[in-house]
Amino acid sequence: MMTEQTIQEGKTLAIVSYLTFVGLIIAIIMNLEKKNPFTFFHVRQMLGLIIMLIFSNIVEAYVNSWLGTSFWIITFVCWLFGLFYAAKGEARPIPVIGEKFQEWFKNIN
């Protein structure tokens, strides 16, 4: 369980992790020393979102433009969800697939 102090210490980097791919890399590098679990929770969520974004782009390019755009919109809404809860100071996984992101990227801690 994360303490309020852990959350407050990791909040800024958790938010930074949602600010593009560059923000994600910055959050990972800056958190390597501190190893804040709140920051790493949101880093794992953003890694999953990047995979969702790549998937939506591939679908849009090679399968169906409307379907890819639909996946992009879903990814964007999930990104807003993650960013909102990082700013709020909560480690809430993205609906439906967020728990899988935590499982898949559990080695990032």
Side-chain angles (χ1 to χ4, degrees):
M1 191 71 188
M2 287 182 241
T3 65
E4 187 61 34
Q5 181 180 353
T6 302
I7 291 169
Q8 290 307 315
E9 288 172 356
K11 196 175 190 178
T12 302
L13 284 179
I15 293 167
V16 167
S17 73
Y18 287 100
L19 304 178
T20 73
F21 185 71
V22 174
L24 176 65
I25 299 302
I26 291 168
I28 291 170
I29 291 170
M30 291 185 72
N31 198 41
L32 284 175
E33 210 172 282
K34 296 175 186 159
K35 296 202 179 287
N36 184 290
F38 183 74
T39 300
F40 278 138
F41 174 88
H42 286 285
V43 162
R44 290 188 292 270
Q45 294 293 288
M46 185 59 182
L47 273 172
L49 287 169
I50 287 173
I51 290 170
M52 286 175 64
L53 180 63
I54 292 167
F55 176 77
S56 70
N57 288 339
I58 290 170
V59 169
E60 185 172 20
Y62 299 106
V63 180
N64 181 295
S65 172
W66 288 103
L67 184 61
T69 300
S70 299
F71 284 143
W72 185 90
I73 291 168
I74 291 166
T75 303
F76 180 72
V77 170
C78 289
W79 175 80
L80 288 175
F81 181 94
L83 180 60
F84 173 78
Y85 282 105
K88 195 173 176 193
E90 292 184 27
R92 186 175 294 190
I94 293 162
V96 182
I97 197 158
E99 290 292 340
K100 286 289 182 196
F101 295 160
Q102 293 301 312
E103 186 182 316
W104 294 340
F105 306 119
K106 65 183 173 233
N107 292 334
I108 298 173
N109 56 18

